């Protein structure tokens, strides 16, 4: 149908799929969408079992926007703590640098002007991480990753993405 959002020329990008089912949704979308997604927003941090989704996005030119990364269970990862100690930077700054080095966009959620300025300063911090440090932070994939936004059986691969019947 011509009026469908994914067919309208004003639609610049569509990021419905939020890991196998996620990759499947993105592959299916690439078959019929007239405008390919520019961004895929997913809960992601080092150790999250979504490497296949991130790889597919990278190969397809889709930017990964990560949310849910600034949580205690992510900041307490031994690899991150180790690298932060070696480079002498705050954990958040090191994790931000990891995201940027991996070509991902870390999303922030705040209403505090002070926090917005702190985040901008963290992003302006220009130190670099070595490939070994990046790998240390990445660490092994965790099958028991503590999802914050997908509870119980509703892991990210079980979330309905689009309903075209409506």
């Amino acid at each position: 149908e011509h009026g469908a959002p994914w067919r309208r020329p004003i639609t610049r990008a569509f990021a419905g799929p939020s890991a196998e089912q996620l990759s499947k949704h993105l592959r299916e979308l690439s078959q019929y969408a007239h405008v390919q997604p520019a961004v895929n927003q997913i809960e992601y941090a080092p150790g999250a079992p979504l490497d296949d989704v991130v790889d597919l996005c990278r190969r397809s030119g889709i930017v990964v926007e990560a949310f849910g990364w600034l949580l205690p269970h992510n900041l307490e990862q031994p690899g991150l703590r180790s690298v932060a100690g070696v480079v002498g930077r705050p954990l958040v700054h090191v994790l931000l640098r990891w995201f940027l080095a991996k070509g991902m966009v870390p999303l922030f959620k705040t209403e505090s002007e002070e926090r917005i300025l702190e985040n901008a300063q963290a992003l302006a911090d220009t130190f670099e991480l070595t490939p070994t440090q990046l790998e240390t932070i990445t660490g092994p994939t965790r099958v028991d990753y503590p999802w914050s936004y997908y509870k119980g059986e509703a892991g990210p691969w079980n979330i309905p993405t689009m309903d075209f019947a409506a």
Side-chain angles (χ1 to χ4, degrees):
E1 80 194 70
H2 181 69
W6 65 91
R7 292 187 187 259
R8 287 188 205 139
I10 59 168
T11 303
R12 298 284 184 244
F14 192 90
S18 279
E20 195 168 311
Q21 284 293 335
L22 293 174
S23 293
K24 177 180 177 265
H25 291 308
L26 285 170
R27 285 192 300 275
E28 288 172 355
L29 186 61
S30 72
Q31 306 257 329
Y32 61 79
H34 294 283
V35 177
Q36 294 301 307
V39 174
N40 190 12
Q41 191 176 96
I42 56 176
E43 178 178 352
Y44 191 75
L50 295 176
D51 293 337
D52 57 334
V53 175
V54 171
D55 290 342
L56 177 62
C57 288
R58 187 171 288 122
R59 288 192 312 271
S60 303
I62 300 170
V63 174
V64 172
E65 284 187 336
F67 67 86
W69 58 272
L70 191 54
L71 296 167
H73 66 267
N74 291 321
L75 296 175
E76 294 166 1
Q77 292 186 33
L80 175 62
R81 295 180 81 70
S82 171
V83 171
V86 169
V87 298
R89 304 277 203 217
L91 294 169
V92 172
H93 291 216
V94 174
L95 192 50
L96 282 171
R97 188 58 44 196
W98 178 85
F99 276 114
L100 296 176
K102 295 284 190 174
M104 293 183 251
V105 177
L107 294 179
F108 297 91
K109 179 186 173 199
T110 185
E111 295 177 12
S112 160
E113 182 178 345
E114 181 180 326
R115 181 69 51 83
I116 291 169
L117 293 173
E118 287 173 12
N119 293 338
Q121 181 60 42
L123 287 169
D125 199 351
T126 59
F127 71 97
E128 297 295 325
L129 298 171
T130 67
T132 302
Q133 290 169 332
L134 291 170
E135 195 57 38
T136 299
I137 294 168
T138 301
T141 297
R142 295 182 55 185
V143 295
D144 65 337
Y145 185 82
W147 298 107
S148 297
Y149 297 91
Y150 311 114
K151 298 294 183 189
E153 294 299 314
W157 39 87
N158 290 328
I159 292 177
T161 55
M162 296 175 241
D163 182 4
F164 297 114

